[in-house]
Amino acid sequence: MAQEIIKHIHRVNALRDLANQLGVMPIIHQLQHWQCERLLVTHDDLAQQKRYQKAMAFFVDELYGPKDFSQRDADLVRVIPKLAKVLPDKAMNAMDDALSLNALSFDLDMAMAQYLQSQFPGEPINRDNYALAYRNVGRIEDRKHQIDIISHLGDQLADVIKIRGIGMLISLSRRPAKLAGLLALHEFLERGFDAFKAIGDVQSFIDPVLVREKAIMQLLLSDDLTLPEDNPLPVV
């Protein structure tokens, strides 16, 4: 498991390097920002509920947004073999899902950014050119896998928050993590645990998200879709 997590990190680092070489990193950041705003609009009913606010923020800020994850990822590469010895398997599986999701999402974002750069140079991202880029890139199996990872991550997080003493373990490890220069990684773990602990029933949050995201994906990639009339994306 530790080696798989490291592979995800190396993959996304290689993609970032390539994106910088291609000059599409600014567009990727714009795209990620737009996607985060879109997610908040699509799932506004969840985002407005206090019990789900931390979980929504965690997904948007820590898994899907334009935030710089380089320090967290560097921390992980340094200590993941040691973490594998002390963290429960379910926690490691959740971390594997999170990093796998991050790598796949970046890969898809980069492909869309390249299309947007070539077809709409200098234009702001909106629901219409986003939909065109999404359809042009296609990769339906990767899109399905992206949603499957979120589903599996939800299952793993639901199990992690039930592990006896895991919250105490994370809390007590904060000072040693800071002293070891691993504060970015610790804060990622702490925010993730706190966010989903606050929910209680993780599936009550994950299931509506999955249903809506699957519906949007299917509509955007449908052969019957006519743009811009049938665009299923909200106005952001």
Side-chain angles (χ1 to χ4, degrees):
M1 181 64 67
Q3 289 305 311
E4 287 301 310
I5 292 173
I6 291 173
K7 284 181 182 178
H8 298 321
I9 294 171
H10 288 331
R11 178 188 175 196
V12 81
N13 284 341
L15 288 169
R16 286 191 190 114
D17 288 343
L18 179 58
N20 280 317
Q21 292 171 19
L22 295 172
V24 295
M25 188 61 83
I27 303 175
I28 291 174
H29 286 159
Q30 292 174 37
L31 182 72
Q32 291 172 334
H33 178 76
W34 191 91
Q35 287 174 153
C36 289
E37 293 298 311
R38 197 279 294 171
L39 284 168
L40 290 173
V41 173
T42 298
H43 307 290
D44 179 67
D45 59 323
L46 298 175
Q48 294 302 319
Q49 296 184 52
K50 187 175 180 179
R51 63 185 291 215
Y52 297 138
Q53 285 173 353
K54 286 184 178 181
M56 183 63 73
F58 183 76
F59 261 95
V60 169
D61 296 336
E62 304 290 346
L63 298 179
Y64 214 61
K67 185 176 178 180
D68 183 359
F69 300 113
S70 55
Q71 186 58 58
R72 180 201 69 188
D73 292 351
D75 290 350
L76 267 172
V77 171
R78 283 172 53 199
V79 301
I80 198 65
K82 294 180 180 179
L83 284 179
K85 294 178 181 179
V86 297
L87 289 179
D89 288 344
K90 289 183 175 65
M92 292 297 294
N93 288 335
M95 195 177 301
D96 179 60
D97 282 339
L99 274 295
S100 174
L101 177 63
N102 183 235
L104 177 57
S105 296
F106 191 92
D107 189 2
L108 291 165
D109 290 346
M110 187 167 74
M112 289 182 64
Q114 288 175 277
Y115 176 84
L116 290 166
Q117 183 185 55
S118 66
Q119 299 299 315
F120 303 96
E123 293 187 24
I125 296 171
N126 55 54
R127 65 194 292 264
D128 294 325
N129 57 26
Y130 182 95
L132 286 169
Y134 192 102
R135 285 174 65 80
N136 181 269
V137 170
R139 295 175 59 177
I140 188 169
E141 293 306 316
D142 283 335
R143 290 295 181 186
K144 289 178 179 177
H145 185 49
Q146 191 179 31
I147 292 174
D148 287 342
I149 295 173
I150 296 172
S151 177
H152 191 256
L153 175 59
D155 292 339
Q156 297 302 315
L157 289 170
D159 288 338
V160 167
I161 62 174
K162 297 174 186 174
I163 297 173
R164 190 170 185 176
I166 186 70
M168 183 68 74
L169 175 63
I170 293 174
S171 179
L172 290 175
S173 65
R174 180 176 179 84
R175 180 170 173 77
K178 184 176 181 179
L179 292 173
L182 301 171
L183 191 57
L185 172 58
H186 185 275
E187 289 179 343
F188 169 73
L189 296 174
E190 191 171 45
R191 281 193 291 266
F193 177 79
D194 288 346
F196 288 91
K197 185 71 173 178
I199 293 177
D201 178 12
V202 174
Q203 298 306 330
S204 67
F205 170 74
I206 293 291
D207 289 348
V209 171
L210 292 173
V211 168
R212 296 166 191 174
E213 293 304 310
K214 283 180 182 178
I216 289 174
M217 176 198 71
Q218 290 167 351
L219 287 169
L220 282 173
L221 297 179
S222 171
D223 292 336
D224 298 326
L225 181 71
T226 301
L227 291 174
E229 293 83 356
D230 300 330
N231 194 337
L233 296 169
V235 175
V236 174

